Amino acid sequence: MGLEEKIPDSIILTTVDKMANWAHKRSMWPLGFGLACCAIEMMSTFAPHFDLARFGMEVMRPSPRQADLMIVAGRVSMKMAPVVKTLYEQMPNPKWVLSMGACASCGGVFNNYAIVQGVDRIIPVDVYVPGCPPRPEQLIDGILKLYEQIEKESVKDKREEWGRRIG
Amino acid sequence: MTEQKTVTVNMGPQHPSTHGVLRVVLELDGETVIKATPVVGYLHTGIEKTMENKLYYKAIPCTDRMDYLAPMSNNLGYCLAVEKLMGIEVPEKVKWARVLLTELTRIKSHLVWLGTHALDLGAMSMLLYTFRERESIIDVYEAVSGQRMMSTYIRIGGLAKELPKDFDKWVRKVLKQVPQGMQDYIDLLSGNQIFINRTKGVAVISAEDALNYSLSGPMLRGSGIKHDLRKASPYSGYENFDFEIPVGRIGDAWDRYLLRLEEMRQSLRIVQQALDGMPEGPYRAHVPGVVLPPKEDVLYKMESMIHHFKIITEGFETPRGAVYQAIEAPKGELGYYISSDGSNKPHRVRVRPPSYINLGALPKMVEGRLLSDVICAIGTIDIVLGEVDR
């Protein structure tokens, strides 16, 4: 009828990279963690109207130990920066970071003493989503861009990278 | 006999039910809370300081980003304060449009409160329902300003631009959809034994304590004190509208749930009246040199273009002095104190944030109660950390 007729019943040949990337990409659990205004738009994205569950991401994990993706939604203050860094370090590998909104990406309109001028000063960022706050469509686009990025990743590179980080 | 020991638990700043980045240090004896200390400042943005370095006009976008669940109310408070300082009288239509939009904002803010409060108490699907209705209000925001959340639509002396032609259509859609949604919420929650058990008699604050902690908004009215700035000192033409001020009885979380639902109904009534009676007229006051001229004039009239250029580049000079203007924001009394030294930038802007002051009553509400009641208390205060920390 459907897929069952198309695939052979014995062996499928693929590469480890493709398999791993496919698995990473299709079951990504974001960390349920909101900072400011963008968090409300992030909630809208998870709500029925935009429905992020279409991309296999409906489970928000309140604990960093169970999360793969950190969406930094909002401005990071100087007082919050160590907390954000700790949360990132608590997440198990492989992990990705999406910086949502102008404040998280570059400090936004708040170029002052209180705000970290871009979250990439404290943790590595994979995708930046501009906007103040970005529309849910923009966030979804950012997530799809991250998926494209993951497809190009190689397990070998990751292993070397993590090895360096631990060593 | 074993020794009595208390445990200190650190709740937040990353905790799903602290509505952002609130941190509460709890001292527990078993499950009983002995002492609760809220620690704020994890979202300190320096908004008040930033506003001092901006021209009066250019400070408006900063106000949006304080209480990001009710951006229009913040705009209105600031603009009314500057208008008071400058002595600007706005046209009737502007007043009506502002009332309509801020009442929609109240509904929008209460919808997020209802969704997250119910989510914290275990009713997970409520969030999905309330965000469904919230989208219809966001459509109005988007129709008037082009932005979903941070609209910066209310400006000094008027509005950013003319109300769109299909404004009526969008607002009528809200008026139709929100009451239907509210019926769903009542069906889901009002008879729900779990929700009732977790809110009735929990997070109680007596009328006397509410006054002593200078609470405002639903937190004050939930304790039975009938005080609402829309009636007590009407601004922006609220005296023209017919609406009731609901009050609670004993000041527990259940009372405040019913009260906020009733407030949403009253807001819908005001929106209906404002939509039906919206007068015709200009969307900005005519005060050359202070209020931006309409965009169509800027393109074709020399004087308007000069005024526009001067206001944008240099701003306008204000009389020396200080003003305080408070409005009834969804969370309580939102006040702006602006001190002017006669230059084109405010010397000091001080915000009286309702949820920050309401948060002060948290220890009173939870001490001696169980740990799980802390979640309910934080939810029922309706805090927004952007406003608490600024």
Side-chain angles (χ1 to χ4, degrees):
Chain A
M1 282 295 284
L3 188 68
E4 293 81 1
E5 286 182 356
K6 299 280 192 306
I7 52 175
D9 53 359
S10 54
I11 301 171
I12 301 172
L13 288 176
T14 180
T15 61
V16 177
D17 279 351
K18 267 189 188 164
M19 188 67 202
N21 291 343
W22 172 77
H24 286 158
K25 193 177 88 173
R26 290 292 169 201
S27 66
M28 193 172 264
W29 287 357
L31 177 65
F33 162 64
L35 289 170
C37 334
C38 291
I40 307 296
E41 281 297 65
M42 188 171 76
M43 279 155 76
S44 297
T45 318
F46 285 89
H49 197 83
F50 294 97
D51 194 14
L52 204 57
R54 290 177 293 163
F55 305 99
M57 288 184 67
E58 73 271 38
V59 199
M60 288 273 258
R61 287 288 143 180
S63 161
R65 308 277 183 202
Q66 301 164 341
D68 310 303
L69 170 67
M70 184 186 213
I71 302 178
V72 185
R75 46 197 187 244
V76 184
S77 69
M78 292 292 181
K79 194 172 177 181
M80 194 64 194
V83 183
V84 173
K85 194 164 166 54
T86 312
L87 283 172
Y88 177 75
E89 282 163 1
Q90 281 175 340
M91 283 163 64
N93 278 324
K95 54 190 170 186
W96 295 273
V97 178
L98 190 148
S99 151
M100 181 180 181
C103 297
S105 302
C106 66
V109 288
F110 302 111
N111 185 5
N112 61 20
Y113 64 94
I115 293 297
V116 177
Q117 299 297 306
V119 74
D120 50 5
R121 294 194 177 198
I122 49 172
I123 54 175
V125 176
D126 293 290
V127 174
Y128 298 88
V129 180
C132 189
R135 297 175 63 90
E137 291 94 330
Q138 274 173 285
L139 178 60
I140 292 172
D141 185 55
I143 288 167
L144 294 180
K145 288 274 189 310
L146 182 66
Y147 284 179
E148 283 171 22
Q149 215 166 303
I150 291 171
E151 276 172 7
K152 290 179 200 136
E153 279 176 4
S154 166
V155 177
K156 194 162 160 279
D157 296 349
K158 281 274 174 195
R159 193 168 52 202
E160 281 169 11
E161 197 188 324
W162 300 341
R164 265 206 309 281
R165 242 184 250 166
I166 295 159
Chain B
M1 202 172 144
T2 52
E3 200 184 336
Q4 283 268 321
K5 267 191 183 170
T6 56
V7 181
T8 306
V9 173
N10 187 28
M11 185 177 163
Q14 191 262 330
H15 187 280
S17 65
T18 53
H19 295 223
V21 288
L22 174 67
R23 175 176 168 212
V24 189
V25 180
L26 296 164
E27 200 182 329
L28 301 174
D29 177 14
E31 261 201 88
T32 314
V33 180
I34 307 288
K35 192 162 178 277
T37 319
V39 182
V40 297
Y42 284 95
L43 197 58
H44 177 64
T45 316
I47 287 183
E48 289 177 4
K49 192 74 191 164
T50 307
M51 282 162 86
E52 285 170 21
N53 295 318
K54 290 191 183 292
L55 301 177
Y56 280 91
Y57 265 103
K58 296 180 181 175
I60 303 174
C62 289
T63 65
D64 279 305
R65 284 148 185 86
M66 281 192 288
D67 180 357
Y68 38 79
L69 297 178
M72 292 255 194
S73 300
N74 289 4
N75 293 165
L76 181 65
Y78 176 75
C79 292
L80 284 177
V82 179
E83 280 161 17
K84 200 174 181 179
L85 182 70
M86 298 297 295
I88 300 169
E89 187 63 36
V90 296
E92 274 301 301
K93 181 185 170 178
V94 174
K95 287 185 181 174
W96 284 63
R98 283 174 173 187
V99 166
L100 196 160
L101 289 166
T102 45
E103 288 306 316
L104 284 179
T105 306
R106 188 183 311 279
I107 300 170
K108 181 174 163 233
S109 170
H110 283 356
L111 282 174
V112 177
W113 164 79
L114 183 60
T116 51
H117 184 43
L119 176 75
D120 293 344
L121 299 180
M124 291 195 70
S125 49
M126 274 306 289
L127 188 82
L128 306 178
Y129 285 97
T130 54
F131 269 69
R132 183 186 63 185
E133 268 69 61
R134 189 173 172 271
E135 284 296 327
S136 69
I137 297 173
I138 284 183
D139 285 343
V140 178
Y141 267 53
E142 212 178 335
V144 296
S145 69
Q147 241 279 25
R148 278 168 56 88
M149 274 174 74
M150 305 303 170
S151 50
T152 319
Y153 184 62
I154 294 170
R155 301 284 171 92
I156 297 162
L159 305 170
K161 50 187 177 182
E162 184 67 89
L163 290 171
K165 287 197 183 69
D166 53 357
F167 181 65
D168 198 76
K169 185 189 94 186
W170 292 111
V171 180
R172 294 225 184 266
K173 194 178 148 219
V174 174
L175 287 171
K176 188 161 164 281
Q177 197 180 341
V178 173
Q180 287 172 359
M182 280 174 68
Q183 191 54 48
D184 288 347
Y185 315 150
I186 292 165
D187 292 346
L188 276 165
L189 284 183
S190 292
N192 185 329
Q193 200 57 46
I194 302 169
F195 187 73
I196 293 171
N197 286 350
R198 292 224 39 196
T199 53
K200 251 191 188 158
V202 173
V204 182
I205 194 117
S206 67
E208 196 194 344
D209 285 335
L211 284 177
N212 288 345
Y213 278 98
S214 71
L215 304 185
S216 55
M219 287 292 288
L220 179 67
R221 293 193 287 274
S223 303
I225 297 170
K226 201 168 186 172
H227 175 76
D228 189 315
L229 287 174
R230 291 175 292 173
K231 289 274 192 202
S233 58
Y235 53 89
S236 192
Y238 264 107
E239 60 275 10
N240 303 326
F241 294 93
D242 176 29
F243 60 101
E244 303 288 325
I245 305 295
V247 287
R249 284 181 306 118
I250 59 167
D252 59 357
W254 174 254
D255 271 5
R256 288 189 282 269
Y257 159 72
L258 293 178
L259 183 130
R260 287 199 173 100
L261 277 185
E262 185 55 36
E263 276 196 2
M264 278 158 69
R265 272 189 217 104
Q266 296 299 331
S267 292
L268 285 171
R269 264 180 78 189
I270 300 174
V271 171
Q272 182 79 56
Q273 291 169 39
L275 188 64
D276 292 340
M278 179 83 71
E280 290 294 313
Y283 64 96
R284 261 183 211 158
H286 181 71
V287 188
V290 177
V291 177
L292 284 172
K295 188 71 186 169
E296 46 275 28
D297 286 3
V298 176
L299 297 175
Y300 299 108
K301 288 185 187 163
M302 192 65 184
E303 296 80 13
S304 297
M305 201 194 82
I306 292 169
H307 282 310
H308 188 272
F309 182 75
K310 293 276 275 184
I311 294 169
I312 295 293
T313 51
E314 293 170 11
F316 50 83
E317 303 223 323
T318 51
R320 295 169 79 90
V323 286
Y324 178 76
Q325 173 70 45
I327 66 159
E328 188 71 28
K331 290 164 188 69
E333 180 183 336
L334 171 70
Y336 280 88
Y337 171 83
I338 299 178
S339 162
S340 159
D341 57 358
S343 70
N344 55 0
K345 289 172 184 169
H347 176 242
R348 175 83 170 95
V349 183
R350 158 79 189 154
V351 186
R352 183 211 185 271
S355 50
Y356 176 56
I357 291 163
N358 291 352
L359 183 64
L362 179 72
K364 180 83 192 163
M365 287 157 79
V366 300
E367 278 170 8
R369 305 297 305 243
L370 295 179
L371 173 62
S372 57
D373 293 346
V374 178
I375 311 288
C376 179
I378 292 173
T380 191
I381 297 173
D382 191 9
I383 46 165
V384 169
L385 267 294
E387 188 180 65
V388 172
D389 297 338
R390 301 187 302 295

